[in-house]
Amino acid sequence: MAKKGNMFLTGLFGTLLGAIGGLLLAPQSGKKTREEIKKMLLKLNKEVETGVKDTKEKVIEVFGNASDEAVKKYKEIKTAVVNKVAEVKTAGKEIDKEKYSMIVEDVVLDFKEDLKATKNGAVKLVALLKKDWEKIKKALV
């Protein structure tokens, strides 16, 4: 009989610990998560922001020209990378250089159709965005 009582108490204790752990590890509210993503985005954008001249040079390297459309597309892709990094980081996942590189490659792959007009545009863009790793790493601290 004592054995059954101990098993019951052990089960009850385990259930109680599980419930407490669930409360402590429960995801935060959507509003709080959105606020954290917004803060992270501001921090990341500040770190990777480039001047007009630097941006145009990068756009020419990738697209072959610095038309308004090419600059817009470059900024759109760069913003998509920063957004993805912020999402991953605020989800509690660590981001190292390898993970950042995978994010860059995935995002650029999503825009590959937009980069078809330029020879090796996607490859060049991936290489350029990967160079931002040190800036990204600084912002993630």
Side-chain angles (χ1 to χ4, degrees), residues 35-48 82 86 139:
E35 287 172 8
E36 284 188 16
I37 290 173
K38 187 176 178 180
K39 285 179 190 175
M40 179 61 64
L41 282 172
L42 290 172
K43 194 173 178 184
L44 287 166
N45 279 320
K46 185 178 178 186
E47 263 323 302
V48 297
V82 169

Side-chain angles (χ1 to χ4, degrees), residues 65-81:
N65 66 62
S67 68
D68 290 342
E69 185 179 325
V71 170
K72 181 180 174 186
K73 186 55 61 182
Y74 172 78
K75 288 181 178 180
E76 182 182 355
I77 295 169
K78 191 171 181 176
T79 298
V81 168

Side-chain angles (χ1 to χ4, degrees), residues 90-102:
T90 54
K93 297 178 183 170
E94 290 299 314
I95 299 177
D96 58 10
K97 188 174 184 176
E98 185 178 327
K99 179 71 175 173
Y100 174 71
S101 293
M102 288 172 44

Side-chain angles (χ1 to χ4, degrees), residues 41-67:
L41 282 172
L42 290 172
K43 194 173 178 184
L44 287 166
N45 279 320
K46 185 178 178 186
E47 263 323 302
V48 297
E49 188 176 50
T50 57
V52 173
K53 183 180 177 187
D54 189 38
T55 299
K56 282 191 176 186
E57 288 172 2
K58 289 179 179 184
V59 169
I60 290 170
E61 189 175 333
V62 173
F63 295 99
N65 66 62
S67 68

